Amino acid sequence: MDPVEEFTTIESIFVRHRNCLMVRGQFTPIYTDHYLHLMQHGHRYPEDLDQCLKDMLAVLALHLVARPWKEVHAWTANLRAPRVNFFATGSSTHETLVGRLFTEEIRETDRDLLYSQVLEGANQQARNSTLEISGLKPLAWIESYYEQSEQRPCRAFDLGDEEFVLIVAQPDYDEEWLAGLDTEKVRTILDDQETKVLETRKFRFHCGCTLEKILPVLSSWKDRPDELFQGDDSITVTCPRCNANYVVTREAFDNQ
């Protein structure tokens, strides 16, 4: 068996004469690290929810490559049935992508909603948007997101074997061609169309959380340590971005 590369390489390809940007990637490396992360921290997601999270990570990564380098994007999908939140975030600058599920203490809404936050730098104010979505369908989510927030159409495709493609309209794009695409036509774009590779970016599944970064989250308990620890020598704290578990001892808490 060939070794799996650490990074997923994503290509940005311009389709000449159609005036569309094709972004594609094969996500086995990211999915492999996703499962290793779950195993390390003792988590297991239901199959349908896990697949939805993986699809969400894939389309977010493709969207990041269609956007400028300096942006950081975070998506939260709040669904009613099943009652679950999907979270994913990524940065081209740091070449990272990470996500998780929330299945407890989910805020109830009257619709399925996708919340998007975009940061263009450490000191920039976040841009937020919300749109209505439906079901466990991240490929449909991204198409709706482009229609509403980007004010232009896109098409998203799962080619199988953990390969995904995003086709994004550019000025003066061929509307009929974009609307008529299906999975088989997307597979042959490089053979049938005149194309040019514009750039490649690499992503890995990585959060960057550490115990030292997690400890400040508990600062509101600084004056109430007994209430926090309930007589135990340690507690377990979960990273909100990746669901990693960290054991916080009373000694570490007192010394922070």
Side-chain angles (χ1 to χ4, degrees), residues 18-86:
R18 307 299 185 181
N19 288 342
C20 288
L21 183 69
M22 178 172 74
V23 188
R24 67 172 189 169
Q26 206 282 337
F27 286 85
T28 297
I30 283 177
Y31 291 172
T32 299
D33 285 345
H34 160 67
Y35 284 124
L36 291 174
H37 180 80
L38 290 180
M39 291 174 58
Q40 178 183 354
H41 295 282
H43 299 305
R44 186 185 182 114
Y45 298 146
E47 184 176 352
D48 58 339
L49 302 184
D50 181 67
Q51 186 61 56
C52 184
L53 177 61
K54 292 194 300 180
D55 290 354
M56 185 180 182
L57 289 169
V59 296
L60 176 58
L62 297 179
H63 174 57
L64 281 164
V65 176
R67 298 289 307 172
W69 272 86
K70 64 179 180 179
E71 293 180 345
V72 177
H73 288 241
W75 287 354
T76 300
N78 184 311
L79 303 186
R80 296 171 298 164
R83 173 60 61 187
V84 63
N85 273 6
F86 295 89

Side-chain angles (χ1 to χ4, degrees), residues 12-194:
S12 176
I13 302 168
F14 185 68
V15 185
R16 299 182 185 272
H17 312 300
R18 307 299 185 181
N19 288 342
C20 288
L21 183 69
M22 178 172 74
V23 188
R24 67 172 189 169
Q26 206 282 337
F27 286 85
T28 297
I30 283 177
Y31 291 172
T32 299
D33 285 345
H34 160 67
Y35 284 124
L36 291 174
H37 180 80
L38 290 180
M39 291 174 58
Q40 178 183 354
H41 295 282
H43 299 305
R44 186 185 182 114
Y45 298 146
E47 184 176 352
D48 58 339
L49 302 184
D50 181 67
Q51 186 61 56
C52 184
L53 177 61
K54 292 194 300 180
D55 290 354
M56 185 180 182
L57 289 169
V59 296
L60 176 58
L62 297 179
H63 174 57
L64 281 164
V65 176
R67 298 289 307 172
W69 272 86
K70 64 179 180 179
E71 293 180 345
V72 177
H73 288 241
W75 287 354
T76 300
N78 184 311
L79 303 186
R80 296 171 298 164
R83 173 60 61 187
V84 63
N85 273 6
F86 295 89
F87 172 78
T89 184
S91 164
S92 288
T93 302
H94 296 98
E95 299 183 315
T96 56
L97 190 71
V98 72
R100 61 162 296 183
L101 298 184
F102 292 88
T103 57
E104 299 178 353
E105 299 181 6
I106 307 301
R107 192 179 97 186
E108 293 189 20
T109 61
D110 59 353
R111 297 169 294 165
D112 293 344
L113 296 171
L114 177 68
Y115 303 92
S116 168
Q117 183 178 81
V118 183
L119 287 170
E120 296 183 356
N123 299 318
Q124 298 297 316
Q125 186 174 0
R127 300 198 317 269
N128 300 296
S129 61
T130 305
L131 69 146
E132 187 172 354
I133 55 176
S134 178
L136 303 173
K137 302 174 182 178
L139 276 69
W141 301 350
I142 188 69
E143 292 180 355
S144 297
Y145 177 84
Y146 265 79
E147 199 69 42
Q148 177 174 310
S149 297
E150 296 283 326
Q151 302 294 306
R152 54 178 169 156
C154 82
R155 301 287 308 283
F157 299 90
D158 179 354
L159 302 188
D161 194 30
E162 300 176 343
E163 181 179 1
F164 291 80
V165 172
L166 186 69
I167 312 287
V168 181
Q170 305 299 304
D172 300 320
Y173 74 99
D174 188 328
E175 295 184 32
E176 182 178 355
W177 179 80
L178 181 62
L181 288 175
D182 57 26
T183 300
E184 293 309 312
K185 290 178 181 178
V186 170
R187 292 184 196 277
T188 61
I189 284 178
L190 295 182
D191 298 322
D192 299 340
Q193 305 293 324
E194 184 179 345

